[in-house]
Amino acid sequence: GQSTLALRLGRPHARRRRFAVGLGVLTSVVLAGLTFSPPATAGSGLTDGEGAALPLPPAAPGVIRITQANLLSGQPAAEFQDDAATVLSNQPDFITYNEVPYRHDIFLAPPGYALWRTPGQYTGATPVAWRTDKWTAVNQGTTTVSYKEGKLPGQKVEWGIRYANWVTLQGVDGHVISVISAHLAPETEITMGLQEVGVTNLGILANQLAAVGPVLLAGDMNFHYGPVQYPRALLAS
């Protein structure tokens, strides 16, 4: 799925045709200093055209856009490339991707974008991309979100092994901001309890990065916004 969010920066701080379905998406902002404009909800800005999305108006001065995209991992290359083009079509400042460990960087970050991830089946699944005309990376890394081995019958990858990629960037106007891309484990008999572990570890990372500026945490959290699954107290902490 895809979700685009627009945010307004304060002063500098010291298609769902083929996209994977049934997974909750969370985009959260850690720390104050950003104000929100209404987001485009998952799939709401998409058409059935090839690589097309309804165009957004140009961003106002001081507004940034971040798009979170979980792209269906098993689809053919041509269909993946079409979906990636949809994600890029409104030229967001930042993109957080999920389920793309073996997809070529050129389709995730074509000219005008740069991309960070640690290559690998698990470490490379959640890259961060950013516009190079507006942002320059000053630090980056890959952090363990959860690590538990084991597969259910018929399962091809170990769902309990999860990493987050993150980048700290400086804008042409001097703002410093960090972006984290994450994908938490779904809840199964093997991964029970790992969502809490994952949120806790992401919170530790976000609080560390918050020392230099606002933090954007985006990804597929694999839980829904509701009274049963949503870990409100843990996220608030």
Side-chain angles (χ1 to χ4, degrees):
Q2 168 179 259
S3 182
T4 299
L5 183 67
L7 309 100
R8 182 176 297 278
L9 286 167
R11 292 179 297 175
H13 189 285
R15 193 159 165 40
R16 204 47 186 170
R17 280 184 306 123
R18 292 186 297 270
F19 291 9
V21 297
L23 302 176
V25 175
L26 167 70
T27 305
S28 65
V29 179
V30 182
L31 286 189
L34 298 176
T35 58
F36 293 86
S37 64
T41 57
S44 65
L46 303 182
T47 72
D48 288 331
E50 294 301 301
L54 294 177
L56 296 174
V63 170
I64 63 170
R65 287 182 174 140
I66 178 171
T67 296
Q68 150 63 20
N70 182 328
L71 301 184
L72 185 60
S73 60
Q75 65 182 331
E79 295 180 357
F80 158 76
Q81 291 166 24
D82 181 44
D83 285 346
T86 297
V87 171
L88 289 152
S89 62
N90 278 310
Q91 300 181 317
D93 292 71
F94 310 117
I95 304 167
T96 53
Y97 288 105
N98 297 158
E99 299 196 25
V100 293
Y102 300 124
R103 301 297 186 178
H104 295 301
D105 290 1
I106 189 61
F107 299 115
L108 301 171
Y113 281 85
L115 181 132
W116 163 256
R117 59 176 162 183
T118 296
Q121 180 178 13
Y122 298 102
T123 55
T126 57
V128 178
W130 62 93
R131 283 179 54 163
T132 54
D133 63 330
K134 298 176 67 175
W135 301 92
T136 300
V138 296
N139 199 7
Q140 61 275 314
T142 303
T143 298
T144 303
V145 174
S146 64
Y147 196 99
K148 185 176 182 181
E149 297 177 334
K151 300 178 184 178
L152 295 172
Q155 190 176 313
K156 295 181 180 180
V157 298
E158 296 180 280
W159 289 345
I161 302 177
R162 301 280 165 158
Y163 292 88
N165 287 287
W166 59 269
V167 184
T168 299
L169 309 108
Q170 185 168 32
V172 293
D173 58 0
H175 283 100
V176 174
I177 195 166
S178 296
V179 181
I180 303 171
S181 177
H183 190 177
L184 294 189
E187 191 154 305
T188 70
E189 58 190 82
I190 292 177
T191 60
M192 195 70 65
L194 290 188
Q195 289 185 338
E196 180 177 354
V197 170
V199 171
T200 299
N201 286 333
L202 288 173
I204 293 170
L205 172 61
N207 285 324
Q208 291 172 342
L209 296 176
V212 297
V215 177
L216 304 182
L217 166 60
D220 187 335
M221 300 293 120
N222 263 314
F223 51 71
H224 294 286
Y225 184 77
V228 179
Q229 282 190 303
Y230 191 68
R232 185 179 305 276
L234 182 60
L235 287 167
S237 71

